[in-house]
Amino acid sequence: MSERRFKGFGDKALPFLKALDFHQNREWFLENKDLFESHLKEPLGDLVEDMTERFAGAGLPFRGDRVKSQFRIKRDTRFAKDKSPYNRHLSALLSADGSKWTESGCFYVCIGLPGVRDCYAAVAWWQQKPELLLAMRKAIVEKPEEYRAMVKALKRNRLSLHDVDRLKRLPRGFDTDEADIAEALRNRHFVVRLDIEPDSITSPDLADRLFDFAVRAKPLIDWGKKIEKRVPA
């Protein structure tokens, strides 16, 4: 395996985001763009390339491009109440097809300010196409032992499904008296999350921790992939 690319984010990465949160104007950003590039954007590109190589070696279905996998720091404010021009975080997404607009399983990392967006990583089935989400819900009902085995495997790996954007009621056409199955059916997404200590992002060891997390999250991806294969293209 080639020499690791990722050397850590720059020591001015979080101070830059804090200052950007305060200034939020194009003039300030352009004056400090070199700082953004060297302490945030380029290191995140290195991290994407590093993780892509590690994931390939471990058989994990996540890959990305150092530029295309990153979400823009500039916000699209056309339909937003908040007209601030810049995000207070920088993030990237790796997926099976290398696209960051995937409907399949993905790996996501966000470098942000505590209390604003936070620093974290996630492995998820996120915003799946309706056919896949329906198939997942049917699989939970028809083969609950497989779903429960996945949850137990995650627990053994010190992970649990993250409650995010869950339906308040069971989706139409589904019914169950079992609490864990009802909870699962109300999921729109299936997510496990790793919180990242903001002070640790300057260390190259961050890549090791993210890789370990993704490996521990593999039961979730394997469960979804098995179902995905049965969904007509």
Side-chain angles (χ1 to χ4, degrees):
M1 186 173 289
S2 64
E3 182 182 356
R4 298 301 187 201
R5 298 171 177 84
F6 181 68
K7 307 299 183 184
F9 288 93
D11 58 4
K12 293 183 176 61
L14 290 181
F16 173 88
L17 291 176
K18 290 178 182 177
L20 179 62
D21 184 38
F22 176 77
H23 289 283
Q24 280 295 320
N25 65 75
R26 185 174 182 272
E27 292 74 18
W28 184 90
F29 182 83
L30 292 178
E31 288 175 3
N32 293 273
K33 188 176 180 180
D34 289 346
L35 195 65
F36 166 70
E37 296 276 351
S38 59
H39 286 257
L40 277 163
K41 187 174 182 179
E42 288 304 314
L44 183 55
D46 292 341
L47 182 62
V48 167
E49 290 186 344
D50 196 333
M51 300 311 297
T52 295
E53 184 175 337
R54 294 186 192 217
F55 291 155
L60 289 165
F62 310 127
R63 61 186 176 90
D65 175 88
R66 66 176 299 114
V67 175
K68 294 179 181 179
S69 294
Q70 294 194 36
F71 292 92
R72 297 175 61 191
I73 192 77
K74 194 173 188 305
R75 299 179 64 243
D76 183 353
T77 62
R78 288 175 297 174
F79 307 107
K81 291 182 180 179
D82 179 4
K83 297 300 181 181
S84 302
Y86 297 100
N87 286 311
R88 284 86 164 174
H89 65 275
L90 191 65
S91 59
L93 187 144
L94 288 72
S95 64
D97 63 3
S99 166
K100 65 174 181 281
W101 306 112
T102 184
E103 295 177 325
S104 188
C106 63
F107 173 90
Y108 177 79
V109 60
C110 178
I111 304 301
L113 296 176
V116 178
R117 183 61 181 257
D118 295 335
C119 287
Y120 70 95
V123 169
W125 292 91
W126 186 263
Q127 294 183 338
Q128 313 91 303
K129 57 185 179 181
E131 295 86 353
L132 178 55
L133 180 57
L134 177 61
M136 286 179 163
R137 286 171 172 162
K138 287 182 176 179
I140 290 169
V141 171
E142 295 169 3
K143 298 184 178 180
E145 70 284 354
E146 292 187 2
Y147 172 78
R148 287 172 172 145
M150 178 269 289
V151 171
K152 288 180 180 178
L154 290 176
K155 187 175 182 179
R156 287 195 298 270
N157 292 344
R158 308 184 308 282
L159 296 172
S160 60
L161 290 173
H162 190 58
D163 179 5
V164 56
D165 193 28
R166 183 176 283 163
L167 295 173
K168 293 182 179 179
R169 298 180 179 83
L170 287 172
R172 183 177 300 177
F174 291 91
D175 191 19
T176 180
D177 295 326
E178 299 178 272
D180 63 327
I181 298 302
E183 186 177 85
L185 289 172
R186 291 191 292 111
N187 283 328
R188 288 190 176 97
H189 321 283
F190 296 87
V191 184
V192 288
R193 171 173 164 145
L194 174 73
D195 290 324
I196 301 169
E197 285 293 331
D199 292 342
S200 73
I201 67 170
T202 58
S203 171
D205 293 344
L206 176 60
D208 297 328
R209 285 179 278 130
L210 293 180
F211 177 68
D212 172 73
F213 163 64
V215 170
R216 289 188 286 121
K218 190 171 184 291
L220 172 60
I221 293 300
D222 290 345
W223 173 78
K225 285 291 183 186
K226 185 176 180 180
I227 299 168
E228 187 180 42
K229 290 178 181 178
R230 301 197 296 261
V231 178

